[in-house]
Each structure stands twice: as C-alpha cells, then as structure tokens.
C-alpha cells in the first residue's frame, strides 16, 4: 500500500514520533552512516503499529550523501510481549510483598490469639469472656486473611475440602 512518496511516508508517522525519526535520519545523513529508530506508524486501516525503522545513507562517488535507504519492521508483537512481561513482574512483586506482609502479620496474630485464649481460660467474668471471644473472632478473621494472602503470594489456589481424619 506504500506509493513510495516521502509525503505519504511522513503522513503515516504521528507528530510526536516525527522529530525523533528526523533527528536519527539527519545524523545518518551528516555522518554518511546508519540510523535506527523505534516509532509508531498509522496503517491505512487506522491501526497503530510499532516499527523499528533502520537504514543507511546512500553516498555518491564524491562521498556526498544523496539519500537514504531503509526498511521498516513491525515489532508490535515484541512490544506487546514486553508490556505483558512488565505486568507479570509487577504482579510477582505484589505477590512477594503480600507474602512478606502475611508472614509478619501471622506472627503478630499468633501472639494475640494465644494470649487471648489464655485470658479466656483464666477469666471468670462473663463480660471479659465476651470481649475475649470478640477479639478472638477478629484475630481468627485476620489469620484467614493472611492464609489468603500467602496463597496469593504462592499462586496456589485455596481449595478447602472436608477430610475424614479416621
């Protein structure tokens, strides 16, 4: 679909990428060298595609640059894969953080639960027992939360099921 005109070519490139590409091409022209630039283009079907645009200066017999020759390669699939990898790395970091927090919180809850259970055993007052029971329920909910966080961190689904101990 490319008619080969420079006007058509530049019209495919969004304005924010044009300066970057022009700078790379100008350096290649000035040095009679090569250029390479990653940018986006708008296809005739209005799809935005990430490409690597690379080429080199064409030099005449006097050593003067008379033009550029280059090629575009669609690397959209690579940039999509990089985005997915970054997202996976973020999720792994969140999982590690959740796991560390869950372990620390679980240690705190273990102390709270054991002290509340000792207080409940040694207490004679019904009011104290009611408050202790409420605190125990809250601490047990916290312990369940940490189990869920640890499961998430390990990426292992929780599958609770009844087990016949006998």
């Amino acid at each position: 679909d490319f008619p080969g005109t420079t006007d058509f070519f530049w019209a495919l490139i969004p304005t924010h990428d044009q300066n970057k590409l022009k700078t790379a091409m100008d350096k290649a022209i000035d040095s009679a060298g090569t250029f390479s630039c990653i940018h986006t283009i708008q296809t005739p079907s209005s799809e935005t595609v990430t490409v690597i645009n690379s080429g080199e200066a064409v030099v005449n017999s006097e050593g003067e640059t008379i033009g550029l020759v280059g090629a575009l390669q669609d690397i959209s699939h690579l940039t999509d894969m990089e985005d997915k990898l970054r997202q996976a790395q973020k999720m792994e970091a969140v999982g590690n953080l959740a796991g560390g927090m869950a372990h620390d919180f679980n240690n705190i809850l273990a102390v709270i639960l054991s002290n509340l259970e000792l207080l409940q055993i040694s207490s004679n007052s019904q009011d104290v027992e009611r408050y202790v029971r409420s605190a125990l329920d809250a601490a047990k909910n916290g312990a369940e939360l940490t189990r869920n966080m640890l499961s998430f961190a390990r990426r292992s689904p929780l599958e609770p099921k009844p087990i016949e101990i006998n």
Side-chain angles (χ1 to χ4, degrees):
D1 296 338
F2 183 65
T5 65
T6 55
D7 290 338
F8 182 85
F9 172 73
W10 286 107
L12 296 174
I13 302 171
T15 308
H16 65 274
D17 280 341
Q18 286 183 7
N19 288 338
K20 178 171 56 169
L21 180 57
K22 283 179 185 177
T23 301
M25 288 177 153
D26 287 345
K27 285 181 183 176
I29 291 170
D30 292 343
S31 66
T34 62
F35 71 92
S36 182
C37 182
I38 296 175
H39 61 87
T40 57
I41 61 169
Q42 193 79 30
T43 66
S45 63
S46 297
E47 179 185 2
T48 300
V49 178
T50 303
V51 296
I52 185 164
N53 188 340
S54 54
E56 64 182 316
V58 177
V59 181
N60 64 16
S61 58
E62 286 84 41
E64 300 169 329
T65 301
I66 58 172
L68 292 171
V69 63
L72 300 175
Q73 181 180 3
D74 182 354
I75 59 168
S76 299
H77 64 287
L78 295 175
T79 55
D80 290 344
M81 288 173 30
E82 286 174 350
D83 290 342
K84 288 177 183 174
L85 175 62
R86 271 191 289 282
Q87 184 62 29
Q89 288 171 331
K90 287 179 192 176
M91 290 305 295
E92 182 179 4
V94 167
N96 289 338
L97 178 64
M101 289 174 58
H103 279 293
D104 292 345
F105 191 55
N106 211 23
N107 291 339
I108 294 167
L109 285 173
V111 172
I112 293 170
L113 281 167
S114 60
N115 283 312
L116 284 171
E117 288 170 352
L118 288 172
L119 182 62
Q120 188 178 34
I121 292 169
S122 64
S123 125
N124 293 330
S125 165
Q126 283 188 321
D127 284 340
V128 171
E129 186 171 330
R130 184 178 47 149
Y131 295 137
V132 168
R133 191 174 319 116
S134 175
L136 276 168
D137 290 343
K140 287 177 183 174
N141 287 339
E144 180 63 27
L145 173 67
T146 60
R147 277 192 291 281
N148 291 339
M149 287 171 61
L150 286 169
S151 175
F152 171 75
R154 285 188 233 112
R155 291 186 211 118
S156 60
L158 289 177
E159 296 178 13
K161 51 188 159 193
I163 295 175
E164 178 60 44
I165 295 188
N166 291 334

